[in-house]
Amino acid sequence: MAGTWIAAICTLGLMSFVIKDSPLYRLAEYTFLAVGTAYSFVLSLERLNPVIITPIKQGKYTIFIPVALGLLLYSRFFRGKQWLMGFPISVTIGVGLGLSLKGIVSSEIVKQLSDTYTSIGSLEGVLIFVGVICVILFFYFSRSNTGANPPVLAVARKIGRVFLMIAFGCMFSNVILSRMTLLLGRIKFLLGDWLNII
Amino acid sequence: MKYLINIDHRIIYILVIISITLPLIAPLNLPVDASEEVTKIYQKIDSLMPGDTVLLLISYAAQNEVEMKSQSDSVISHLFSKEGIKIVSAALVESGNIYLNQYMSSYASEYQKEAGRDFVNLGFVYGGEVAVANLANDIHQAAPADSDGNLLADLEMMKNIKDGSDFDLVINFGATQLWSIVRYITDVYNVDLVSGIEAVFAIRFLPYYVSGQLDGYLNGLVGAAGYESLIGIRGPASKHMDPLSSSSMLIIVLIIVGNISYLVEKRQKFSDRSAR
């Protein structure tokens, strides 16, 4: 019961922002941030057991390497030792980049490109192929200094713009759908769980 | 016309709230159909055979509860109703863990499934993209114990499930880690992938569906309602279609009115200028 009331007050507080910024809005915003941070913190502590303590009990002492790297992040709190923080950050960025490059090349470049030309036998495939080429040409900004650009480039850019507008229209409609769903959820909560009207 | 262009935005908010509230109080019960991509998810899950293994991932946050919970409820309920399926589940975002625990406990008791024998709940797996890559390479190393603290090595079900190649189907909810799942699990090990996606991200994943890297997807609440129609229930998503349709109609009308007002005013300005 108390939880429903708190949630209802926070919902109304957040909604009040459409009228103007208010202390109730600030309270709801900070409450949300505080609860989210506290939940993440507790979850992090709970994961210490399966991720660190259990492997150590099993004799997997290599876990000390990532643990030590993680602890080095706290070196920023010690004057003169902040440079130690560079090690875990560089390892994290290096691993992240390495993983991303490996995955992106095969899944998002090679597979997407190969599908673009292999599905060219159908009308849908032709449209996708033309759309991809024209949109890529739309973002080709290196023009000739003499001003002599091939007319095909101008036509491709115009077609590319049409494809882009259609894509943006689809994205916009989905954004509206998603935002309406969020509002719907809150109104249903207020009318149903809180006021028991529906 | 000037009034329409300069209309107070609060009036639009009120209209939107009314368009959502009225159908909630007096439902219209509009018919709901499943699209091709929704039907494909249903077929994938329905064709699972006893002994097949499924990786179930939750990667959506609390703010998307309305659309994503409706999707998850209908799909996971269908999944649990299949006999002899082995399910390994994990949450890839913090708040996803709340929903994962709810689904696992409620559907396990509803369909008499036993933890460790029929399903394993790994809980929240840290690391985002790196966590997905780790799960794909070695589940036992990525999450040595389940959410109850039981070692995976001791669980009978997990003896033959080691990495991404041991799954027959990956089901994901939420767009946050869908890219990583495609990159590190389903493309690498050639595993089928279906996903529920927040409506705001759905268009971005259309190329993956067209290329076959994604075998089916649910687009927000509309996709959830379609799935409910396939499993023969009129659940929360189907009931939400009335207010969603009425508010969408209102937005379409407002866009048309706004464009007409803009064009009329532009023409008036042009004629005023030529008269001078």
Side-chain angles (χ1 to χ4, degrees), chain A residues 39 44 47 50 54 99-100 107-108 112 115 174 178 182 185 188 191, chain B residues 63 67 98 122 124 126 129 144 151 183-184 187 199 207-208 213 219 240:
Chain A
Y39 179 72
S44 310
R47 291 304 290 175
T54 307
L99 278 170
S100 300
S107 293
E108 287 169 37
Q112 289 290 316
D115 183 67
N174 269 266
S178 198
L182 296 182
K188 190 169 180 281
L191 296 179
Chain B
Q63 64 263 34
E67 50 186 347
I98 302 170
L122 301 178
F124 174 50
Y126 261 101
E129 191 169 355
L151 291 175
R183 283 176 206 160
Y184 304 117
D187 270 7
Y208 292 90
Q213 289 166 284
N219 179 358
H240 287 161

PDB file of all heavy atoms in Angstrom, chain A residues 39 44 47 50 54 99-100 107-108 112 115 174 178 182 185 188 191, chain B residues 63 67 98 122 124 126 129 144 151 183-184 187 199 207-208 213 219 240:
ATOM      1  N   TYR A  39      20.378  -0.202  -5.788  1.00  0.00           N
ATOM      2  CA  TYR A  39      20.100  -1.560  -6.265  1.00  0.00           C
ATOM      3  C   TYR A  39      21.325  -2.135  -6.985  1.00  0.00           C
ATOM      4  O   TYR A  39      21.717  -3.282  -6.753  1.00  0.00           O
ATOM      5  CB  TYR A  39      18.884  -1.556  -7.200  1.00  0.00           C
ATOM      6  CG  TYR A  39      18.564  -2.921  -7.744  1.00  0.00           C
ATOM      7  CD1 TYR A  39      18.010  -3.889  -6.912  1.00  0.00           C
ATOM      8  CD2 TYR A  39      18.848  -3.254  -9.060  1.00  0.00           C
ATOM      9  CE1 TYR A  39      17.743  -5.160  -7.393  1.00  0.00           C
ATOM     10  CE2 TYR A  39      18.577  -4.511  -9.555  1.00  0.00           C
ATOM     11  CZ  TYR A  39      18.021  -5.466  -8.722  1.00  0.00           C
ATOM     12  OH  TYR A  39      17.769  -6.717  -9.192  1.00  0.00           O
ATOM     13  N   SER A  44      25.972  -5.713  -7.059  1.00  0.00           N
ATOM     14  CA  SER A  44      27.420  -5.879  -7.244  1.00  0.00           C
ATOM     15  C   SER A  44      28.017  -6.672  -6.087  1.00  0.00           C
ATOM     16  O   SER A  44      28.836  -7.566  -6.294  1.00  0.00           O
ATOM     17  CB  SER A  44      28.118  -4.520  -7.296  1.00  0.00           C
ATOM     18  OG  SER A  44      27.481  -3.683  -8.196  1.00  0.00           O
ATOM     19  N   ARG A  47      27.272 -10.334  -6.305  1.00  0.00           N
ATOM     20  CA  ARG A  47      27.986 -11.066  -7.353  1.00  0.00           C
ATOM     21  C   ARG A  47      29.437 -11.367  -6.957  1.00  0.00           C
ATOM     22  O   ARG A  47      30.131 -12.089  -7.661  1.00  0.00           O
ATOM     23  CB  ARG A  47      27.976 -10.281  -8.673  1.00  0.00           C
ATOM     24  CG  ARG A  47      26.628 -10.183  -9.325  1.00  0.00           C
ATOM     25  CD  ARG A  47      25.973 -11.516  -9.588  1.00  0.00           C
ATOM     26  NE  ARG A  47      26.621 -12.284 -10.648  1.00  0.00           N
ATOM     27  CZ  ARG A  47      26.274 -13.516 -10.985  1.00  0.00           C
ATOM     28  NH1 ARG A  47      25.314 -14.137 -10.329  1.00  0.00           N
ATOM     29  NH2 ARG A  47      26.900 -14.154 -11.947  1.00  0.00           N
ATOM     30  N   PRO A  50      29.768 -15.499  -6.376  1.00  0.00           N
ATOM     31  CA  PRO A  50      29.969 -16.423  -7.503  1.00  0.00           C
ATOM     32  C   PRO A  50      31.129 -16.053  -8.427  1.00  0.00           C
ATOM     33  O   PRO A  50      31.744 -16.939  -9.012  1.00  0.00           O
ATOM     34  CB  PRO A  50      28.628 -16.352  -8.265  1.00  0.00           C
ATOM     35  CG  PRO A  50      27.994 -15.092  -7.859  1.00  0.00           C
ATOM     36  CD  PRO A  50      28.480 -14.785  -6.476  1.00  0.00           C
ATOM     37  N   THR A  54      33.949 -17.890  -5.109  1.00  0.00           N
ATOM     38  CA  THR A  54      33.809 -19.292  -5.532  1.00  0.00           C
ATOM     39  C   THR A  54      35.007 -19.774  -6.353  1.00  0.00           C
ATOM     40  O   THR A  54      35.565 -20.838  -6.057  1.00  0.00           O
ATOM     41  CB  THR A  54      32.482 -19.495  -6.324  1.00  0.00           C
ATOM     42  OG1 THR A  54      31.418 -18.995  -5.531  1.00  0.00           O
ATOM     43  CG2 THR A  54      32.247 -20.945  -6.669  1.00  0.00           C
ATOM     44  N   LEU A  99      37.244  -7.017 -28.944  1.00  0.00           N
ATOM     45  CA  LEU A  99      36.014  -7.808 -29.086  1.00  0.00           C
ATOM     46  C   LEU A  99      35.089  -7.183 -30.126  1.00  0.00           C
ATOM     47  O   LEU A  99      34.543  -7.863 -30.992  1.00  0.00           O
ATOM     48  CB  LEU A  99      35.281  -7.891 -27.748  1.00  0.00           C
ATOM     49  CG  LEU A  99      35.763  -8.937 -26.758  1.00  0.00           C
ATOM     50  CD1 LEU A  99      35.098  -8.723 -25.421  1.00  0.00           C
ATOM     51  CD2 LEU A  99      35.484 -10.337 -27.263  1.00  0.00           C
ATOM     52  N   SER A 100      34.915  -5.852 -30.034  1.00  0.00           N
ATOM     53  CA  SER A 100      33.994  -5.161 -30.934  1.00  0.00           C
ATOM     54  C   SER A 100      34.431  -5.315 -32.384  1.00  0.00           C
ATOM     55  O   SER A 100      33.633  -5.635 -33.260  1.00  0.00           O
ATOM     56  CB  SER A 100      33.924  -3.679 -30.610  1.00  0.00           C
ATOM     57  OG  SER A 100      33.486  -3.514 -29.308  1.00  0.00           O
ATOM     58  N   SER A 107      29.779  -9.612 -38.396  1.00  0.00           N
ATOM     59  CA  SER A 107      28.304  -9.559 -38.282  1.00  0.00           C
ATOM     60  C   SER A 107      27.686  -8.331 -38.916  1.00  0.00           C
ATOM     61  O   SER A 107      26.587  -8.399 -39.456  1.00  0.00           O
ATOM     62  CB  SER A 107      27.890  -9.580 -36.813  1.00  0.00           C
ATOM     63  OG  SER A 107      28.197 -10.805 -36.257  1.00  0.00           O
ATOM     64  N   GLU A 108      28.373  -7.202 -38.819  1.00  0.00           N
ATOM     65  CA  GLU A 108      27.718  -5.968 -39.246  1.00  0.00           C
ATOM     66  C   GLU A 108      28.252  -5.402 -40.559  1.00  0.00           C
ATOM     67  O   GLU A 108      27.646  -4.505 -41.116  1.00  0.00           O
ATOM     68  CB  GLU A 108      27.828  -4.922 -38.123  1.00  0.00           C
ATOM     69  CG  GLU A 108      26.896  -5.292 -36.997  1.00  0.00           C
ATOM     70  CD  GLU A 108      27.119  -4.484 -35.751  1.00  0.00           C
ATOM     71  OE1 GLU A 108      27.410  -3.302 -35.856  1.00  0.00           O
ATOM     72  OE2 GLU A 108      27.020  -5.078 -34.657  1.00  0.00           O
ATOM     73  N   GLN A 112      26.030  -8.183 -43.544  1.00  0.00           N
ATOM     74  CA  GLN A 112      25.049  -7.211 -44.038  1.00  0.00           C
ATOM     75  C   GLN A 112      25.312  -6.893 -45.515  1.00  0.00           C
ATOM     76  O   GLN A 112      24.382  -6.810 -46.310  1.00  0.00           O
ATOM     77  CB  GLN A 112      25.112  -5.924 -43.209  1.00  0.00           C
ATOM     78  CG  GLN A 112      24.557  -6.064 -41.796  1.00  0.00           C
ATOM     79  CD  GLN A 112      23.047  -6.242 -41.786  1.00  0.00           C
ATOM     80  OE1 GLN A 112      22.331  -5.572 -42.493  1.00  0.00           O
ATOM     81  NE2 GLN A 112      22.565  -7.191 -40.993  1.00  0.00           N
ATOM     82  N   ASP A 115      24.357  -9.896 -47.741  1.00  0.00           N
ATOM     83  CA  ASP A 115      22.900 -10.012 -47.891  1.00  0.00           C
ATOM     84  C   ASP A 115      22.354  -8.933 -48.820  1.00  0.00           C
ATOM     85  O   ASP A 115      21.390  -9.161 -49.547  1.00  0.00           O
ATOM     86  CB  ASP A 115      22.218  -9.917 -46.526  1.00  0.00           C
ATOM     87  CG  ASP A 115      20.723 -10.100 -46.649  1.00  0.00           C
ATOM     88  OD1 ASP A 115      20.307 -11.223 -46.994  1.00  0.00           O
ATOM     89  OD2 ASP A 115      19.977  -9.122 -46.459  1.00  0.00           O
ATOM     90  N   ASN A 174       7.943   4.796 -34.540  1.00  0.00           N
ATOM     91  CA  ASN A 174       8.229   3.834 -33.471  1.00  0.00           C
ATOM     92  C   ASN A 174       8.557   4.531 -32.163  1.00  0.00           C
ATOM     93  O   ASN A 174       8.245   4.019 -31.093  1.00  0.00           O
ATOM     94  CB  ASN A 174       9.379   2.915 -33.887  1.00  0.00           C
ATOM     95  CG  ASN A 174       8.867   1.677 -34.574  1.00  0.00           C
ATOM     96  OD1 ASN A 174       8.660   0.641 -33.960  1.00  0.00           O
ATOM     97  ND2 ASN A 174       8.593   1.781 -35.852  1.00  0.00           N
ATOM     98  N   SER A 178       6.547   3.946 -28.745  1.00  0.00           N
ATOM     99  CA  SER A 178       7.223   3.568 -27.514  1.00  0.00           C
ATOM    100  C   SER A 178       6.905   4.542 -26.380  1.00  0.00           C
ATOM    101  O   SER A 178       6.633   4.126 -25.247  1.00  0.00           O
ATOM    102  CB  SER A 178       8.739   3.559 -27.769  1.00  0.00           C
ATOM    103  OG  SER A 178       9.390   2.835 -26.786  1.00  0.00           O
ATOM    104  N   LEU A 182       4.889   4.033 -22.717  1.00  0.00           N
ATOM    105  CA  LEU A 182       5.365   4.418 -21.377  1.00  0.00           C
ATOM    106  C   LEU A 182       4.282   5.191 -20.628  1.00  0.00           C
ATOM    107  O   LEU A 182       3.998   4.923 -19.454  1.00  0.00           O
ATOM    108  CB  LEU A 182       6.626   5.294 -21.486  1.00  0.00           C
ATOM    109  CG  LEU A 182       7.885   4.672 -22.077  1.00  0.00           C
ATOM    110  CD1 LEU A 182       9.029   5.673 -22.050  1.00  0.00           C
ATOM    111  CD2 LEU A 182       8.286   3.443 -21.298  1.00  0.00           C
ATOM    112  N   GLY A 185       1.431   2.972 -19.570  1.00  0.00           N
ATOM    113  CA  GLY A 185       1.762   2.186 -18.380  1.00  0.00           C
ATOM    114  C   GLY A 185       1.550   2.975 -17.103  1.00  0.00           C
ATOM    115  O   GLY A 185       1.003   2.472 -16.117  1.00  0.00           O
ATOM    116  N   LYS A 188      -2.216   3.693 -16.557  1.00  0.00           N
ATOM    117  CA  LYS A 188      -2.886   2.462 -16.101  1.00  0.00           C
ATOM    118  C   LYS A 188      -2.563   2.207 -14.618  1.00  0.00           C
ATOM    119  O   LYS A 188      -3.431   1.802 -13.845  1.00  0.00           O
ATOM    120  CB  LYS A 188      -2.441   1.275 -16.952  1.00  0.00           C
ATOM    121  CG  LYS A 188      -3.276   0.037 -16.702  1.00  0.00           C
ATOM    122  CD  LYS A 188      -3.015  -1.032 -17.708  1.00  0.00           C
ATOM    123  CE  LYS A 188      -3.865  -2.239 -17.412  1.00  0.00           C
ATOM    124  NZ  LYS A 188      -3.313  -3.061 -16.328  1.00  0.00           N
ATOM    125  N   LEU A 191      -4.636   4.832 -12.553  1.00  0.00           N
ATOM    126  CA  LEU A 191      -6.077   4.558 -12.519  1.00  0.00           C
ATOM    127  C   LEU A 191      -6.403   3.196 -11.911  1.00  0.00           C
ATOM    128  O   LEU A 191      -7.446   3.024 -11.283  1.00  0.00           O
ATOM    129  CB  LEU A 191      -6.664   4.636 -13.940  1.00  0.00           C
ATOM    130  CG  LEU A 191      -6.609   5.986 -14.645  1.00  0.00           C
ATOM    131  CD1 LEU A 191      -7.201   5.883 -16.035  1.00  0.00           C
ATOM    132  CD2 LEU A 191      -7.350   7.051 -13.854  1.00  0.00           C
TER     133      LEU A 191
ATOM    134  N   GLN B  63      12.285   0.851 -16.929  1.00  0.00           N
ATOM    135  CA  GLN B  63      11.441   1.869 -17.569  1.00  0.00           C
ATOM    136  C   GLN B  63      10.656   1.326 -18.762  1.00  0.00           C
ATOM    137  O   GLN B  63       9.680   1.927 -19.177  1.00  0.00           O
ATOM    138  CB  GLN B  63      12.256   3.110 -17.970  1.00  0.00           C
ATOM    139  CG  GLN B  63      13.321   2.854 -19.006  1.00  0.00           C
ATOM    140  CD  GLN B  63      14.675   2.661 -18.363  1.00  0.00           C
ATOM    141  OE1 GLN B  63      14.768   2.118 -17.277  1.00  0.00           O
ATOM    142  NE2 GLN B  63      15.729   3.105 -19.018  1.00  0.00           N
ATOM    143  N   GLU B  67       5.927  -2.605 -22.134  1.00  0.00           N
ATOM    144  CA  GLU B  67       5.977  -3.362 -23.382  1.00  0.00           C
ATOM    145  C   GLU B  67       6.771  -4.653 -23.237  1.00  0.00           C
ATOM    146  O   GLU B  67       6.387  -5.693 -23.773  1.00  0.00           O
ATOM    147  CB  GLU B  67       6.518  -2.506 -24.533  1.00  0.00           C
ATOM    148  CG  GLU B  67       7.792  -1.777 -24.268  1.00  0.00           C
ATOM    149  CD  GLU B  67       8.189  -0.833 -25.416  1.00  0.00           C
ATOM    150  OE1 GLU B  67       7.618  -0.924 -26.511  1.00  0.00           O
ATOM    151  OE2 GLU B  67       9.078  -0.001 -25.197  1.00  0.00           O
ATOM    152  N   ILE B  98      15.547  -8.481 -11.723  1.00  0.00           N
ATOM    153  CA  ILE B  98      14.292  -8.513 -10.956  1.00  0.00           C
ATOM    154  C   ILE B  98      13.255  -9.322 -11.741  1.00  0.00           C
ATOM    155  O   ILE B  98      12.598 -10.216 -11.208  1.00  0.00           O
ATOM    156  CB  ILE B  98      13.748  -7.081 -10.731  1.00  0.00           C
ATOM    157  CG1 ILE B  98      14.770  -6.227 -10.002  1.00  0.00           C
ATOM    158  CG2 ILE B  98      12.427  -7.108  -9.970  1.00  0.00           C
ATOM    159  CD1 ILE B  98      14.412  -4.749  -9.955  1.00  0.00           C
ATOM    160  N   LEU B 122      21.109 -18.075 -14.012  1.00  0.00           N
ATOM    161  CA  LEU B 122      22.446 -17.565 -13.695  1.00  0.00           C
ATOM    162  C   LEU B 122      22.392 -16.211 -13.000  1.00  0.00           C
ATOM    163  O   LEU B 122      23.415 -15.726 -12.509  1.00  0.00           O
ATOM    164  CB  LEU B 122      23.280 -17.437 -14.979  1.00  0.00           C
ATOM    165  CG  LEU B 122      23.495 -18.712 -15.796  1.00  0.00           C
ATOM    166  CD1 LEU B 122      24.293 -18.397 -17.049  1.00  0.00           C
ATOM    167  CD2 LEU B 122      24.203 -19.778 -14.989  1.00  0.00           C
ATOM    168  N   PHE B 124      22.155 -12.105 -12.650  1.00  0.00           N
ATOM    169  CA  PHE B 124      22.759 -11.003 -13.409  1.00  0.00           C
ATOM    170  C   PHE B 124      24.225 -11.319 -13.718  1.00  0.00           C
ATOM    171  O   PHE B 124      24.993 -11.603 -12.816  1.00  0.00           O
ATOM    172  CB  PHE B 124      22.652  -9.707 -12.597  1.00  0.00           C
ATOM    173  CG  PHE B 124      23.378  -8.545 -13.220  1.00  0.00           C
ATOM    174  CD1 PHE B 124      23.182  -8.210 -14.550  1.00  0.00           C
ATOM    175  CD2 PHE B 124      24.265  -7.795 -12.473  1.00  0.00           C
ATOM    176  CE1 PHE B 124      23.850  -7.142 -15.134  1.00  0.00           C
ATOM    177  CE2 PHE B 124      24.934  -6.715 -13.037  1.00  0.00           C
ATOM    178  CZ  PHE B 124      24.725  -6.399 -14.369  1.00  0.00           C
ATOM    179  N   TYR B 126      27.616  -9.837 -15.058  1.00  0.00           N
ATOM    180  CA  TYR B 126      28.254  -8.528 -15.223  1.00  0.00           C
ATOM    181  C   TYR B 126      29.045  -8.404 -16.512  1.00  0.00           C
ATOM    182  O   TYR B 126      29.567  -9.386 -17.011  1.00  0.00           O
ATOM    183  CB  TYR B 126      29.247  -8.314 -14.071  1.00  0.00           C
ATOM    184  CG  TYR B 126      28.677  -7.461 -12.985  1.00  0.00           C
ATOM    185  CD1 TYR B 126      28.190  -8.041 -11.838  1.00  0.00           C
ATOM    186  CD2 TYR B 126      28.630  -6.101 -13.131  1.00  0.00           C
ATOM    187  CE1 TYR B 126      27.664  -7.264 -10.835  1.00  0.00           C
ATOM    188  CE2 TYR B 126      28.105  -5.315 -12.127  1.00  0.00           C
ATOM    189  CZ  TYR B 126      27.626  -5.906 -10.989  1.00  0.00           C
ATOM    190  OH  TYR B 126      27.100  -5.148 -10.003  1.00  0.00           O
ATOM    191  N   GLU B 129      28.873  -6.218 -22.985  1.00  0.00           N
ATOM    192  CA  GLU B 129      29.336  -6.898 -24.201  1.00  0.00           C
ATOM    193  C   GLU B 129      30.344  -8.004 -23.864  1.00  0.00           C
ATOM    194  O   GLU B 129      30.304  -9.092 -24.439  1.00  0.00           O
ATOM    195  CB  GLU B 129      29.977  -5.852 -25.118  1.00  0.00           C
ATOM    196  CG  GLU B 129      30.259  -6.374 -26.491  1.00  0.00           C
ATOM    197  CD  GLU B 129      30.636  -5.267 -27.465  1.00  0.00           C
ATOM    198  OE1 GLU B 129      30.592  -4.086 -27.089  1.00  0.00           O
ATOM    199  OE2 GLU B 129      30.979  -5.602 -28.604  1.00  0.00           O
ATOM    200  N   PRO B 144      30.261 -18.992 -12.727  1.00  0.00           N
ATOM    201  CA  PRO B 144      30.579 -20.296 -12.110  1.00  0.00           C
ATOM    202  C   PRO B 144      29.440 -20.877 -11.270  1.00  0.00           C
ATOM    203  O   PRO B 144      29.364 -22.090 -11.078  1.00  0.00           O
ATOM    204  CB  PRO B 144      31.780 -19.989 -11.218  1.00  0.00           C
ATOM    205  CG  PRO B 144      32.298 -18.675 -11.684  1.00  0.00           C
ATOM    206  CD  PRO B 144      31.144 -17.937 -12.256  1.00  0.00           C
ATOM    207  N   LEU B 151      27.055 -24.476  -7.660  1.00  0.00           N
ATOM    208  CA  LEU B 151      28.078 -24.492  -8.708  1.00  0.00           C
ATOM    209  C   LEU B 151      27.538 -25.157  -9.973  1.00  0.00           C
ATOM    210  O   LEU B 151      26.893 -26.207  -9.904  1.00  0.00           O
ATOM    211  CB  LEU B 151      29.314 -25.256  -8.228  1.00  0.00           C
ATOM    212  CG  LEU B 151      30.128 -24.595  -7.118  1.00  0.00           C
ATOM    213  CD1 LEU B 151      31.242 -25.514  -6.664  1.00  0.00           C
ATOM    214  CD2 LEU B 151      30.701 -23.268  -7.602  1.00  0.00           C
ATOM    215  N   ARG B 183      26.697 -10.749 -32.509  1.00  0.00           N
ATOM    216  CA  ARG B 183      28.131 -10.794 -32.818  1.00  0.00           C
ATOM    217  C   ARG B 183      28.842 -11.999 -32.216  1.00  0.00           C
ATOM    218  O   ARG B 183      29.693 -12.600 -32.851  1.00  0.00           O
ATOM    219  CB  ARG B 183      28.818  -9.537 -32.259  1.00  0.00           C
ATOM    220  CG  ARG B 183      28.600  -8.302 -33.060  1.00  0.00           C
ATOM    221  CD  ARG B 183      29.264  -7.146 -32.332  1.00  0.00           C
ATOM    222  NE  ARG B 183      28.646  -5.889 -32.656  1.00  0.00           N
ATOM    223  CZ  ARG B 183      28.751  -4.808 -31.905  1.00  0.00           C
ATOM    224  NH1 ARG B 183      29.426  -4.830 -30.797  1.00  0.00           N
ATOM    225  NH2 ARG B 183      28.166  -3.689 -32.263  1.00  0.00           N
ATOM    226  N   TYR B 184      28.521 -12.346 -30.953  1.00  0.00           N
ATOM    227  CA  TYR B 184      29.342 -13.329 -30.242  1.00  0.00           C
ATOM    228  C   TYR B 184      28.691 -14.703 -30.083  1.00  0.00           C
ATOM    229  O   TYR B 184      29.382 -15.669 -29.810  1.00  0.00           O
ATOM    230  CB  TYR B 184      29.718 -12.798 -28.847  1.00  0.00           C
ATOM    231  CG  TYR B 184      30.398 -11.473 -28.921  1.00  0.00           C
ATOM    232  CD1 TYR B 184      29.836 -10.340 -28.344  1.00  0.00           C
ATOM    233  CD2 TYR B 184      31.592 -11.339 -29.623  1.00  0.00           C
ATOM    234  CE1 TYR B 184      30.450  -9.111 -28.443  1.00  0.00           C
ATOM    235  CE2 TYR B 184      32.209 -10.110 -29.728  1.00  0.00           C
ATOM    236  CZ  TYR B 184      31.632  -8.999 -29.144  1.00  0.00           C
ATOM    237  OH  TYR B 184      32.253  -7.788 -29.259  1.00  0.00           O
ATOM    238  N   ASP B 187      25.768 -15.576 -34.546  1.00  0.00           N
ATOM    239  CA  ASP B 187      26.517 -15.584 -35.811  1.00  0.00           C
ATOM    240  C   ASP B 187      27.703 -16.535 -35.752  1.00  0.00           C
ATOM    241  O   ASP B 187      28.006 -17.236 -36.708  1.00  0.00           O
ATOM    242  CB  ASP B 187      27.016 -14.168 -36.139  1.00  0.00           C
ATOM    243  CG  ASP B 187      25.994 -13.389 -36.970  1.00  0.00           C
ATOM    244  OD1 ASP B 187      24.875 -13.909 -37.155  1.00  0.00           O
ATOM    245  OD2 ASP B 187      26.310 -12.274 -37.417  1.00  0.00           O
ATOM    246  N   ALA B 199       9.928  -0.808 -28.877  1.00  0.00           N
ATOM    247  CA  ALA B 199       9.488  -0.214 -30.159  1.00  0.00           C
ATOM    248  C   ALA B 199      10.460   0.851 -30.657  1.00  0.00           C
ATOM    249  O   ALA B 199      10.695   0.972 -31.862  1.00  0.00           O
ATOM    250  CB  ALA B 199       8.097   0.381 -29.994  1.00  0.00           C
ATOM    251  N   PRO B 207      17.381  -4.615 -40.444  1.00  0.00           N
ATOM    252  CA  PRO B 207      18.380  -5.223 -41.342  1.00  0.00           C
ATOM    253  C   PRO B 207      18.830  -6.621 -40.893  1.00  0.00           C
ATOM    254  O   PRO B 207      19.121  -7.477 -41.721  1.00  0.00           O
ATOM    255  CB  PRO B 207      19.555  -4.241 -41.293  1.00  0.00           C
ATOM    256  CG  PRO B 207      18.946  -2.943 -40.921  1.00  0.00           C
ATOM    257  CD  PRO B 207      17.812  -3.281 -40.001  1.00  0.00           C
ATOM    258  N   TYR B 208      18.875  -6.849 -39.580  1.00  0.00           N
ATOM    259  CA  TYR B 208      19.283  -8.164 -39.079  1.00  0.00           C
ATOM    260  C   TYR B 208      18.212  -9.218 -39.385  1.00  0.00           C
ATOM    261  O   TYR B 208      18.509 -10.364 -39.663  1.00  0.00           O
ATOM    262  CB  TYR B 208      19.513  -8.122 -37.563  1.00  0.00           C
ATOM    263  CG  TYR B 208      20.703  -7.303 -37.163  1.00  0.00           C
ATOM    264  CD1 TYR B 208      20.579  -5.955 -36.901  1.00  0.00           C
ATOM    265  CD2 TYR B 208      21.962  -7.884 -37.060  1.00  0.00           C
ATOM    266  CE1 TYR B 208      21.676  -5.197 -36.540  1.00  0.00           C
ATOM    267  CE2 TYR B 208      23.062  -7.134 -36.704  1.00  0.00           C
ATOM    268  CZ  TYR B 208      22.909  -5.792 -36.447  1.00  0.00           C
ATOM    269  OH  TYR B 208      23.999  -5.041 -36.096  1.00  0.00           O
ATOM    270  N   GLN B 213      19.899 -12.875 -39.754  1.00  0.00           N
ATOM    271  CA  GLN B 213      20.659 -12.989 -38.508  1.00  0.00           C
ATOM    272  C   GLN B 213      19.732 -12.985 -37.295  1.00  0.00           C
ATOM    273  O   GLN B 213      20.100 -13.421 -36.219  1.00  0.00           O
ATOM    274  CB  GLN B 213      21.651 -11.828 -38.400  1.00  0.00           C
ATOM    275  CG  GLN B 213      22.801 -11.937 -39.383  1.00  0.00           C
ATOM    276  CD  GLN B 213      23.567 -10.633 -39.500  1.00  0.00           C
ATOM    277  OE1 GLN B 213      23.118  -9.682 -40.141  1.00  0.00           O
ATOM    278  NE2 GLN B 213      24.725 -10.572 -38.883  1.00  0.00           N
ATOM    279  N   ASN B 219       7.894  -6.348 -31.915  1.00  0.00           N
ATOM    280  CA  ASN B 219       8.072  -4.895 -31.898  1.00  0.00           C
ATOM    281  C   ASN B 219       7.195  -4.282 -30.801  1.00  0.00           C
ATOM    282  O   ASN B 219       6.003  -4.079 -30.989  1.00  0.00           O
ATOM    283  CB  ASN B 219       7.711  -4.334 -33.272  1.00  0.00           C
ATOM    284  CG  ASN B 219       7.852  -2.827 -33.352  1.00  0.00           C
ATOM    285  OD1 ASN B 219       8.180  -2.170 -32.372  1.00  0.00           O
ATOM    286  ND2 ASN B 219       7.590  -2.278 -34.512  1.00  0.00           N
ATOM    287  N   HIS B 240      -4.118  -3.332 -24.097  1.00  0.00           N
ATOM    288  CA  HIS B 240      -3.494  -2.009 -24.271  1.00  0.00           C
ATOM    289  C   HIS B 240      -3.556  -1.502 -25.707  1.00  0.00           C
ATOM    290  O   HIS B 240      -3.186  -0.355 -25.966  1.00  0.00           O
ATOM    291  CB  HIS B 240      -2.030  -2.056 -23.818  1.00  0.00           C
ATOM    292  CG  HIS B 240      -1.882  -2.124 -22.336  1.00  0.00           C
ATOM    293  ND1 HIS B 240      -0.725  -2.547 -21.725  1.00  0.00           N
ATOM    294  CD2 HIS B 240      -2.746  -1.833 -21.339  1.00  0.00           C
ATOM    295  CE1 HIS B 240      -0.888  -2.504 -20.423  1.00  0.00           C
ATOM    296  NE2 HIS B 240      -2.106  -2.078 -20.162  1.00  0.00           N
TER     297      HIS B 240
END
